[in-house]
């Protein structure tokens, strides 16, 4: 069903007779992807009409399929993100399960990156963590232990999503899902190579993570267990979602496992540093500057 709907989205209302995106967005499900891409490129908030139109998760998934298809026209997939993994975040959006989006290579920047505040409609900063896929056998995983066998690194990560919609609407979670879970930028640190898969089972839930600014203020902190009880549970959730989409994880892809403590609004001139301790007795960091 999703494949048929995707064809309708790609070749339906999005295109004018000349095969180009329609200049004036219509508030239709098939028109969402084109409108979102215009808003994304122009760094503006989505038209409010979509808050009434995309009023449940089924419509949101259909809208996201069309959006991802358009995004793939200009960048390769880097992997996926699992959002709303924190209980407080789920309560804020009135949902009981995470959301899945796609990360693209052009979104992912190295440690120390400088990102313009106006490169997004409403730039946020999140304390996050990546896992990197070692083998395609991960797609058959049914437990944390299975997942651990097929991850070759975890990676410090600051995600910088874009809040392109009003979060005070009753169906904000559906709009968030339709809009690729807000993916805009992400900054990664040096990979922490997994030497022993048992380490990946034992350390991540007990790891201490914190996000601070160059003023020394700690603005977010918590433990890895805040991510669905164990960060690798995000991978298991992702695999279930991908099976519905007829998609699979590939070696080298990254998975954003989830944010701790919720987002903070990015401030111009600030440097944000995420610090991770409790994995093998070492401390790891990653930083981003907002200009």
């Amino acid at each position: 069903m999703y494949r048929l709907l995707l064809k309708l989205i790609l070749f339906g209302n999005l295109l004018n007779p000349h095969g180009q995106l329609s200049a004036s967005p219509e508030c239709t499900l098939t028109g969402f992807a084109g409108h979102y891409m215009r808003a994304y490129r122009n760094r503006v908030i989505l038209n409010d009409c979509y808050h009434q139109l995309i009023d449940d998760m089924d419509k949101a998934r259909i809208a996201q399929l069309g959006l991802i298809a358009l995004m793939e026209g200009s960048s390769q997939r880097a992997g996926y993100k699992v959002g709303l993994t924190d209980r407080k975040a789920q309560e804020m959006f009135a949902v009981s399960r995470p959301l899945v989006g796609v990360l693209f290579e052009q979104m992912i920047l190295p440690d120390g990156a400088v990102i313009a505040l106006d490169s997004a409609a409403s730039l946020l900063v999140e304390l996050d963590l990546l896992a990197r896929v070692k083998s395609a056998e991960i797609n058959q995983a049914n437990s944390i232990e299975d997942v651990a066998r097929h991850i070759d690194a975890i990676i410090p990560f600051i995600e910088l999503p874009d809040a392109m919609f009003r979060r005070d609407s009753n169906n904000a979670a559906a709009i968030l899902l339709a809009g690729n879970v807000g993916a805009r930028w992400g900054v990664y640190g040096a990979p922490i190579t997994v030497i022993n898969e048992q380490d990946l089972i034992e350390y991540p839930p007990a790891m201490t993570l914190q996000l601070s600014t160059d003023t020394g203020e700690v603005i977010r902190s918590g433990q890895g267990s805040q991510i669905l009880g164990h960060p690798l549970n995000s991978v298991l959730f992702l695999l279930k979602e991908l099976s519905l989409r007829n998609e699979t994880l590939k070696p080298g892809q990254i998975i954003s496992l989830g944010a701790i403590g919720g987002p903070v609004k990015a401030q111009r001139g600030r440097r944000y540093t995420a610090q991770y301790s409790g994995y093998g007795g070492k401390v790891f960091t990653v930083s981003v500057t907002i200009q």
Side-chain angles (χ1 to χ4, degrees), residues 81-86 89 92-93 123-129 156-163 167 176 181-183 185-187 209-212 219-220 256-266 272-274 276 286 288 290:
K81 64 171 290 187
V82 183
L84 302 190
T85 56
D86 184 279
M92 182 185 303
F93 281 87
L123 193 65
L124 304 174
V125 183
E126 290 185 339
L127 176 60
D128 211 316
L129 183 67
F157 189 57
I158 297 175
E159 191 186 357
L160 298 105
D162 192 356
R167 282 177 284 174
L176 178 62
V181 198
W185 303 113
V187 177
L209 293 75
Q210 71 174 36
L211 181 68
S212 60
I219 52 179
R220 290 290 183 269
S256 171
L257 299 173
I260 286 180
V264 296
K265 192 172 180 60
Y272 297 89
T273 298
Y276 306 75
V286 60
V288 61
I290 308 301

Side-chain angles (χ1 to χ4, degrees), residues 273-286:
T273 298
Q275 178 177 293
Y276 306 75
S277 58
Y279 193 101
K282 298 181 180 179
V283 176
F284 305 88
T285 63
V286 60

